[in-house]
Amino acid sequence: MGYGPNGFVREFRSKLRADARSLVEIEVRYDVADMALEIIATNAGPNEVDLTIHANAHRAEGPWLVRVPSRGRMSRRWSLVASHCWYDFTVSSADLQRRFAGRIDNGEDGFSDPAI
């Protein structure tokens, strides 16, 4: 678990398996100019993986179900304009859980977390 300023949170949980059917990596990218967040999942394993992306706060819609092909990748993007650049997402599968929360700092005056 990691915590930092602007509500920055990263949590990582995984099950280790000798017969790794999937090797999934999750990456979060900020688009400061458009006030958007992108989640990218890359699967280096031999089998496709189903992931669930859940908004823990700041959004009413979801969860989103996505499939990452074997040796492939997928991405999903959300505008953070309505939440004043705050985000809180969990990405999970049968073998992993990753939580990403915080606020994109765009250099302008910010707002307190609207979910508090």
Side-chain angles (χ1 to χ4, degrees), residues 19-89:
D19 66 334
R21 294 172 295 217
S22 68
L23 299 170
V24 177
E25 292 293 330
I26 309 295
E27 177 184 358
V28 172
R29 290 186 185 169
Y30 297 154
D31 181 341
V32 177
D34 287 340
M35 294 176 29
L37 176 124
E38 182 179 22
I39 294 177
I40 302 164
T42 304
N43 177 11
N47 298 322
E48 67 186 16
V49 176
D50 291 325
L51 298 174
T52 301
I53 303 173
H54 178 79
N56 302 310
H58 311 295
R59 306 192 80 78
E61 69 273 20
W64 300 269
L65 305 175
V66 296
R67 180 162 286 161
V68 188
S70 166
R71 294 171 179 74
R73 61 186 275 165
M74 62 68 55
S75 68
R76 188 79 193 227
R77 180 181 168 100
W78 293 268
S79 171
L80 302 179
V81 171
S83 65
H84 304 286
C85 294
W86 288 95
Y87 63 91
D88 189 348
F89 290 98

